[in-house]
Amino acid sequence: MYVQELEPVADSLGLSALVAALPLLIVLVLLGGVRMKAHLAGLTGLLAAVLVAWLAYGMPLDQTVSSAVQGAVFGLFPILWIVVNALWVYRMTVRTRHFDILRRSFGRVSDDPRIQALVVAFCFGALLEALAGFGAPVAICSVMLVALGFDPVRAAVVSLVANTAPVAFGAMATPVVTLAQVTGLPLDDVASVVGRQTPLLALVVPLVLVYLVDGRRGLRETWVPALVCGVAFAVVQFAASNYVSPQLADIGASLIGAAALVAVPHARVPATESVRASVLTGSRDEELDQEDPRREVLRAYAPYALIVVVFSIAQIPAVKDWLARTTQMYDWPFLDVAGPDGKPVSGNVFSWPIVSTGGTLVLIAGVLTAVVFGMHARVAAREWVATVYELRFAILTVTSVLALAYVMNLSGQAGTIGHFVAAAGAGLAFLSPVLGWFGVAVSGSDTSSNALFGALQVTAARESGLSPALLAAANSSGGVLGKMISPQNLTIACAAVGLAGREGDLLRKVLPWSLGLLLVMCLIVVGQSTPVLGWMLP
């Protein structure tokens, strides 16, 4: 049995924490400073974590390697299993041209560019984040806004800022699923706290978007539909994450938010020529005027309806109990780890939710989507393989980062850093979202940030007497605000609208909003750690 030590280096917590932090520092420097590709930075960080665990912490090499393999396997299943199948559903809509129908459907909601920004960037972007994530919402929404006549820079900025509130529950709740796994906290506990933080962002972001589109005039003239959209999104995201299913949080919130926006009479008032002339400085895509048969429009919305139906059925008590019984538990080979207190850690056992995992449910919805679209099984299978190929570098990045996280957690490195950080005391609640923000800013992924810092946040919370679920959730909720300034997202946005090489211009425009909203999130978390807002927590 390997027993974790908190002070293996010179019996000093400070020196041990410095050595334990080396793998994280290496990854962050390679990503943010050297700008190395994410999968190479992840593999380099993994090697550093293995060496620190083996040489500094005395973890047997076979157990160190075994913990890395377990992390990589978890990265593949259930994390990437969810992402691959979700993106597969999206690819099928593109292959059958139903995505174009959906795009035209959104374009006809209103001729007011400020309302169009809410429908496309906020609502539809959230729907894409729910299904695909990994930069897809920014790329697709930027292109759609340019097609509607938006200036490329404005389209990119609006899409980047809009891609905040839904991120924590993106890709079928992959970030919070990862957070629950690496921290050992129940998924429902983590999701419910995140669902009491990010909805507060959803109240503000639509107002920010109409300001970005048309300045003070946009805020003055369209604050009512923007607020209605934000409130509807926030209420559904809160309700779904707390009482239904975190995997459905963004899907339900985006659809209901769009429906509430359209229902506001003010949103359907034609925009004045002065508004359109000052906002729409690009050329409008004439394809948007094409009429689509109602039957095809319904088929275009079918994948999202099927996902909601499948996940809703999975929440029926009898079905949920049956799905839970399909989960297999295994003693992970070559791994026998105990915490500093001598008790075995949960990582010794591997849980494999074969059927109940979100990825399998999305796969079922995907098969039904192929049937609705009338796709041949061979074509659908080829699209699935193409999806895996498209995500090949993302797969390598996620598996290496999860492997790194598992090595750091099981060797005791995360525990050492957590005990050291706990010295911040009450200030920890304020710094917790900043750590998540920083992780996403350099990695471009809330999932990766949660894997890297989730266990550290929980350890620090327990040592300082704060709620572990609160700080774990704060890592994810703060992280969503780093998404808009991550080099990965900035590059995607520039490439999508033909602004290659102008990432710096976009960064200067979105950085103040990222920092401002981060400050709001920090104050929310501080309030929730005290009686002032403590009543908000479950």
Side-chain angles (χ1 to χ4, degrees):
M1 177 180 286
Y2 166 71
V3 181
Q4 297 173 347
E5 289 186 62
L6 292 177
E7 303 176 358
V9 181
D11 292 325
S12 167
L13 183 62
L15 287 176
S16 299
L18 182 62
V19 172
L22 283 176
L24 294 177
L25 293 174
I26 288 172
V27 171
L28 298 178
V29 168
L30 291 179
L31 284 172
V34 182
R35 297 201 173 184
M36 180 181 286
K37 292 186 181 298
H39 62 281
L40 295 178
L43 290 171
T44 306
L46 170 60
L47 177 61
V50 168
L51 291 175
V52 169
W54 179 35
L55 300 176
Y57 278 74
M59 188 178 194
L61 187 58
D62 59 340
Q63 297 212 48
T64 304
V65 173
S66 180
S67 62
V69 172
Q70 184 183 159
V73 170
F74 176 72
L76 291 171
F77 192 99
I79 298 305
L80 287 163
W81 180 238
I82 298 171
V83 175
V84 167
N85 289 322
L87 192 56
W88 174 54
V89 173
Y90 163 70
R91 283 182 62 98
M92 284 193 291
T93 66
V94 174
R95 175 64 182 260
T96 59
R97 309 287 294 178
H98 284 88
F99 177 77
D100 293 333
I101 296 172
L102 200 65
R103 179 164 63 95
R104 288 192 288 270
S105 175
F106 283 127
R108 285 191 290 270
V109 168
S110 172
D111 73 340
D112 189 325
R114 300 163 299 190
I115 302 301
Q116 290 173 341
L118 293 176
V119 173
V120 174
F122 187 71
C123 297
F124 188 54
L127 189 59
L128 291 173
E129 182 67 36
L131 294 181
F134 290 87
V138 170
I140 295 167
C141 292
S142 297
V143 171
M144 290 177 68
L145 289 176
V146 169
L148 288 167
F150 279 68
D151 170 73
V153 173
R154 183 175 287 163
V157 169
V158 168
S159 298
L160 285 165
V161 174
N163 191 219
T164 48
V167 168
F169 295 104
M172 306 308 295
T174 295
V176 293
V177 169
T178 303
L179 186 60
Q181 180 69 21
V182 299
T183 59
L185 298 172
L187 173 59
D188 290 344
D189 290 358
V190 174
S192 65
V193 179
V194 174
R196 294 160 194 253
Q197 294 171 341
T198 56
L200 299 176
L201 290 177
L203 297 174
V204 178
V205 171
L207 297 170
V208 173
L209 295 181
V210 295
Y211 178 82
L212 287 171
V213 172
D214 195 28
R216 293 181 180 177
R217 179 180 60 181
L219 195 58
R220 184 175 64 252
E221 295 180 359
T222 57
W223 69 269
V224 172
L227 189 60
V228 169
C229 178
V231 169
F233 187 101
V235 169
V236 175
Q237 191 183 61
F238 160 74
S241 59
N242 277 266
Y243 305 113
V244 184
S245 166
Q247 287 88 349
L248 288 178
D250 280 349
I251 294 178
S254 60
L255 295 176
I256 299 301
L261 176 62
V262 174
V264 178
H266 192 78
R268 299 194 298 275
V269 175
T272 63
E273 284 303 318
S274 62
V275 170
R276 294 181 59 79
S278 62
V279 175
L280 302 179
T281 54
S283 58
R284 187 176 184 274
D285 190 344
E286 294 182 359
E287 184 189 328
L288 294 171
D289 297 324
Q290 179 180 330
E291 289 292 332
D292 297 299
R294 179 178 294 273
R295 182 168 179 268
E296 292 304 310
V297 173
L298 291 175
R299 290 175 72 184
Y301 283 92
Y304 315 109
L306 287 169
I307 288 175
V308 171
V309 169
V310 170
F311 273 87
S312 298
I313 292 173
Q315 297 306 310
I316 297 173
V319 178
K320 192 173 184 178
D321 291 343
W322 177 81
L323 289 173
R325 290 196 296 271
T326 65
T327 299
Q328 302 293 317
M329 307 291 288
Y330 302 96
D331 289 328
W332 191 258
F334 307 108
L335 200 61
D336 188 10
V337 179
D341 57 1
K343 297 179 180 179
V345 299
S346 59
N348 294 328
V349 178
F350 184 75
S351 173
W352 191 26
I354 305 172
V355 182
S356 60
T357 185
T360 302
L361 298 178
V362 176
L363 177 65
I364 294 170
V367 172
L368 295 174
T369 296
V371 172
V372 171
F373 286 169
M375 290 185 72
H376 192 281
R378 190 183 299 109
V379 177
R382 276 204 300 265
E383 284 299 319
W384 193 92
V385 173
T387 302
V388 174
Y389 181 76
E390 180 184 338
L391 289 172
R392 61 193 183 283
F393 292 119
I395 290 172
L396 190 54
T397 299
V398 172
T399 51
S400 61
V401 168
L402 264 297
L404 181 158
Y406 268 60
V407 170
M408 291 191 65
N409 294 344
L410 291 171
S411 66
Q413 294 173 60
T416 298
I417 300 172
H419 279 73
F420 181 76
V421 171
L428 186 59
F430 185 88
L431 295 175
S432 185
V434 177
L435 189 59
W437 174 85
F438 184 71
V440 176
V442 296
S443 70
S445 167
D446 201 36
T447 299
S448 297
S449 178
N450 288 345
L452 291 173
F453 300 130
L456 185 157
Q457 297 266 23
V458 167
T459 302
R462 286 173 175 152
E463 287 301 305
S464 59
L466 296 171
S467 164
L470 174 62
L471 293 203
N475 191 87
S476 192
S477 299
V480 307
L481 299 168
K483 190 91 167 174
M484 68 178 85
I485 63 168
S486 71
Q488 172 184 308
N489 256 23
L490 290 170
T491 301
I492 288 172
C494 284
V497 297
L499 295 173
R502 295 186 58 184
E503 289 84 357
D505 293 342
L506 292 187
L507 177 61
R508 284 189 290 274
K509 289 182 179 294
V510 299
L511 182 59
W513 295 107
S514 178
L515 293 174
L517 292 172
L518 174 64
L519 176 60
V520 172
M521 181 55 65
C522 290
L523 295 176
I524 289 171
V525 174
V526 169
Q528 290 178 334
S529 69
T530 67
V532 176
L533 295 179
W535 53 268
M536 293 179 63
L537 299 181

